[in-house]
């Protein structure tokens, strides 16, 4: 359960996120939509504790992001945009580091979990390769493996399929929808078909403000059939100005 | 506090995963031994001591330690891994201390690897081992203070070159305060007590007591508190 209350982030005079509130319950795959620079990543970075909100707050399974950041971080798996990882480490070394940080002290459990995550993300062939030598698709999967490592109840994915080829996209979507049942998944994307294929709830952000919070069906009933036309109609004001 | 361990382990291993560690160790050992023999004229002294070896440490550290410390935070910022690190269940303090200790451990290893020179004086004559021990201790403590400053400056920028130059500059100023030529120059302008107070802030003033074989509590506290202050500012710079 994620609950966001009047969260706002200002960078100098620029208000990147403006008073956004919403709640997400388990079983939801929430699609975070909006043009570039709308405030999607900033909102996600605040939820994961990387940025501190200027005002407002949020809670994750009852833990406040400002008061108990470590408890929040224990419950969130986060895939940052462009999935950064330590380049000089091999995939196995990197996952071992994540296991260390996530408190997997029992050697048996840890080895089992690493094996499990590697097979789930199809990383079997690159375990001993350093991250810098991997293709974009593999790097993304390493980021994904890192995010789901501790089997978190909340997954926050910033453009999880960005830069992948169609097969890889399909693969990642399959993994995401396979995990959805009892989790809260929040993902941002530019790809509208992805929202259609995956999400059961959509939030559209424009200019830092939340302008739509509905299910895909509700949006269709209200605004017409084509999701990309709806998107353009609702967010075009920034492009004209 | 146990969360500092994974950060420390990863950072320390990081030196050896890239050529950085090997290049640094070779340069450090060549420079420290080379300076002792060719500039310090080790043999001409005819004394079984490591005076001419430790004499150069502050000046060698001035350039070599920023080379180790410059990547600490600037590299995390440049590559974006800082976002990963700070969304793992690790506090800023734990991350800062973990990375700092890893770098310090690495530099301490480099200093330790100069032990053949100690064995050499032991073979050639009858040195005062107490002095050699206290000098090594002073050298490692001083390296820690240099590193604290480097860690702080690398948190201020994502550019390693800027981080390097800033560290060298700050360390140079702190070194100069205790350099006799510099303090003579200052004493021409300022009253004696100001010059004396300033030179108390210098690395060299405190390091000198160690190379004389004295483990002065004040000097130990000086180095440790300088590192601690730098790291505290480092944490503030990252949480900003």
């Amino acid at each position: 359960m994620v609950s966001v209350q009047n969260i706002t982030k200002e960078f100098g005079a620029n208000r990147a996120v403006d008073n956004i509130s919403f709640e997400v319950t388990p079983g939801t795959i929430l699609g975070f939509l909006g043009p570039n620079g709308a405030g999607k990543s900033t909102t996600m970075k605040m939820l994961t504790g990387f940025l501190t909100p200027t005002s407002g707050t949020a809670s994750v399974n009852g833990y406040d992001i400002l008061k108990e950041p470590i408890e929040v971080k224990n419950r969130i798996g986060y895939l940052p945009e462009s999935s950064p990882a330590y380049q000089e480490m091999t995939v196995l070394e990197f996952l071992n580091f994540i296991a260390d940080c996530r408190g997997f002290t029992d050697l048996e459990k840890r080895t089992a979990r690493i094996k499990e995550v590697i097979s789930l993300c199809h990383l079997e062939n690159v375990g001993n390769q350093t991250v810098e030598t991997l293709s974009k698709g593999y790097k993304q999967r390493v980021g994904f493996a890192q995010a789901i490592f501790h089997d978190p109840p909340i997954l926050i994915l910033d453009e999880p399929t960005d830069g992948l080829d169609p097969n890889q996209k399909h693969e990642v979507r399959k993994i995401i929808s396979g995990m959805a049942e009892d989790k809260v998944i929040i993902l941002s994307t530019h790809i509208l078909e992805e929202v259609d294929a995956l999400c059961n709830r959509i939030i559209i952000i424009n200019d830092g403000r939340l302008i739509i919070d509905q299910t895909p069906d509700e949006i269709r009933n209200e605004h017409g059939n084509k999701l990309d036309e709806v998107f353009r109609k609702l967010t075009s004001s920034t492009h004209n100005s | 506090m146990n969360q500092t361990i994974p950060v420390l382990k990863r950072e320390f291993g990081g030196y050896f995963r890239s050529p950085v560690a090997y290049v640094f160790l070779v340069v450090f050992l060549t420079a420290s031994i080379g300076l002792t023999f060719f500039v310090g004229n080790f043999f001409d002294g005819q004394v079984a001591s490591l005076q001419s070896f430790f004499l150069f440490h502050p000046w060698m550290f001035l350039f070599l330690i920023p080379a180790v410390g410059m990547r600490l935070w600037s590299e995390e910022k440049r590559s974006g891994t800082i976002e990963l690190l700070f969304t793992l269940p690790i506090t800023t303090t734990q991350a800062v201390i973990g990375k700092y200790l890893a770098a310090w451990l690495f530099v301490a290893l480099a200093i330790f690897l100069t032990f053949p020179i100690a064995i050499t004086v032991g073979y050639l004559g009858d040195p005062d081992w107490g002095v050699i021990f206290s000098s090594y201790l002073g050298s490692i403590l001083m390296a820690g203070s240099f590193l604290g400053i480097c860690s702080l400056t690398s948190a201020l920028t994502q550019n390693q070159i800027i981080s390097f130059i800033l560290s060298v500059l700050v360390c140079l100023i702190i070194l100069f305060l205790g350099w006799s030529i510099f303090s003579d120059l200052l004493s021409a302008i300022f009253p004696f007590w100001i010059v004396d107070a300033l030179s108390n802030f210098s690395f060299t003033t405190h390091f000198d007591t160690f190379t004389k074989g004295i483990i002065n509590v004040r000097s130990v506290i000086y180095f440790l508190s300088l590192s601690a202050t730098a790291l505290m500012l480092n944490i503030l710079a990252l949480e900003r």
Side-chain angles (χ1 to χ4, degrees), chain A residues 170-185:
Chain A
H170 180 74
E171 196 64 46
V172 167
R173 281 177 205 162
K174 227 168 60 185
I175 302 176
I176 294 174
S177 49
M179 286 187 309
E181 278 167 39
D182 50 349
K183 285 189 201 306
V184 170
I185 300 182

Side-chain angles (χ1 to χ4, degrees), chain A residues 45 73 78 86 100-102, chain B residues 3 9 76 83 86 89:
Chain A
K45 281 175 186 169
K73 286 168 187 179
Y78 175 45
Y86 293 101
D100 276 340
C101 294
R102 292 291 183 190
Chain B
Q3 286 297 77
K9 252 171 69 186
E76 296 262 354
E83 195 171 343
F86 285 144

Side-chain angles (χ1 to χ4, degrees), chain B residues 79-102:
Chain B
S79 66
T81 43
I82 193 164
E83 195 171 343
L84 180 81
L85 188 62
F86 285 144
T87 49
L88 287 168
I90 298 171
T91 63
T92 313
T93 311
Q94 289 167 339
V96 166
I97 292 176
K99 279 169 92 71
Y100 169 78
L101 287 181

Side-chain angles (χ1 to χ4, degrees), chain A residues 38-55:
Chain A
K40 306 184 298 271
S41 290
T42 308
T43 309
M44 289 179 151
K45 281 175 186 169
M46 286 192 283
L47 278 178
T48 53
F50 183 61
L51 291 178
T52 315
T54 310
S55 67

Side-chain angles (χ1 to χ4, degrees), chain A residues 79-87 94 143 146, chain B residues 79-84:
Chain A
L79 174 67
E81 202 175 350
S82 74
S83 62
Y86 293 101
Q87 299 293 317
F94 180 66
Q146 166 272 120
Chain B
S79 66
T81 43
I82 193 164
E83 195 171 343
L84 180 81

